[in-house]
Amino acid sequence: MPSKYANHLNYLLFYHMFFSLFYGWYIINFGGDSRGYWLFTMEQVKILNPTWMKYFGEGTTFILWLTYFPSKILGLSYPTGNLLFGFLGFIGIRYIFLLVYKHFPTNHEILGVPLFPTVFYISNLHFWTSGVGKDAIAFWAISWFLFSIQQYKEKWWQASIAFFFVYMTRPHMGQALIGGAAIAILMGTDIKRSYKFGLAALALIGSIYMSTFTLDALRMEDFNVSTLESYSSLKSGLLNKAYVGSSVNISAYSWPYKLFTYLFRPLFFDAHNIVSFISSFENLLYLWLSLFIYKNWSVEALRDMPLFLKAAMVTFIPVTFAFMNALSNLGIAMRMKNMLMIYFLLFCLYLIVHKKYTLHLRSLDRKKFFQRRQAIIDAKKKNVE
């Protein structure tokens, strides 16, 4: 890797650690469940005679299980916990950085600014992954999983460990991620067709088997529409009690506006504090790049797209549809979409750079063609003379 990109990884590390300190200050002053994970004051988790293994389970209890040793046994402070979780968040960012560097054919600039590695300095990418809580663990584990499946034949065991952390942190994300990875692998051209049917059957059986555990973890009976709506309403109501930002009645919106609100808001007219104001710039970038999807989309781009990005986008689509109906608070939407939004941005960027690179190769081919043609013409003239 050239030093200019290696240096950016060093800058990103210090940048991310700054956000870990800022995140702790923000939570202490404005509230949030992050301190509850470290100080074991989560009201929704009541355990008599608590020990480390009594906290082992999916979701909230899993984060308490992870924090038990450094908090209860070692007695580390909450700011130290933020640095520990923040470092894992940075490792996730590093995984994605390396994937983009290796698998994107070229770069693209806006107003003279190269999008790679600039997009890795987006503040929301760092803020929500820099402190104690589910967000940092889920983001790190998803990134590790996608990094591993890019070379799944050699790193399948790493993908298995990463999946464990995704599933235990957020079971529904684990369910979506494993399905997305299976579909992306089946879409690839490096697997024999005869093997694809076996892999598809294995993925289907595994998904059905895992769905029972996912339903238990989410305390749902099945995946029908009414049950999902009830679960979404319950979670939305609980989340909206937190100090997370301005509430927006998404339920009253049309389907297209729900999607737009989830993906691209808050914008400047929604900004009510410095966090949402900065997010407005980022969402404007998302909106701007998304306008180029139709112009740059091609079958060749989807075919050539690296496996990690295919898997991320196949996961991104159903998760987006689920969350846009569940969340009516912009602050929570910013937090929840952070797990996968970077991959949507990279998807838009890949379509742009793929077309740019393809046009460049075609221009080189045309240039070589005319050079050969001219050489033939010159040779004929020379023979005539």
Side-chain angles (χ1 to χ4, degrees), residues 215-259:
L215 288 170
D216 288 340
L218 298 178
R219 293 172 176 80
M220 295 168 55
E221 296 180 357
D222 50 43
F223 282 123
N224 64 45
V225 175
S226 61
T227 304
L228 288 172
E229 287 181 349
S230 299
Y231 175 78
S232 297
S233 299
L234 174 62
K235 298 301 289 184
S236 181
L238 292 174
L239 291 171
N240 289 335
K241 292 177 182 179
Y243 186 91
V244 289
S246 58
S247 180
V248 176
N249 186 19
I250 293 180
S251 60
Y253 291 167
S254 62
W255 182 86
Y257 198 34
K258 282 183 180 180
L259 181 62

Side-chain angles (χ1 to χ4, degrees), residues 173 248 250 253-266 270 283 286 315-341 344:
M173 282 302 305
V248 176
I250 293 180
Y253 291 167
S254 62
W255 182 86
Y257 198 34
K258 282 183 180 180
L259 181 62
F260 178 86
T261 299
Y262 176 78
L263 291 177
F264 306 121
R265 290 175 67 184
D270 298 309
N283 288 327
Y286 294 143
T315 304
F316 174 82
I317 294 171
V319 169
T320 295
F321 287 141
F323 281 165
M324 78 179 193
N325 287 302
L327 306 176
S328 62
N329 187 292
L330 293 183
I332 288 296
M334 288 161 54
R335 171 182 168 183
M336 298 299 290
K337 74 181 182 181
N338 183 70
M339 291 183 292
L340 295 173
M341 198 65 183
F344 173 74

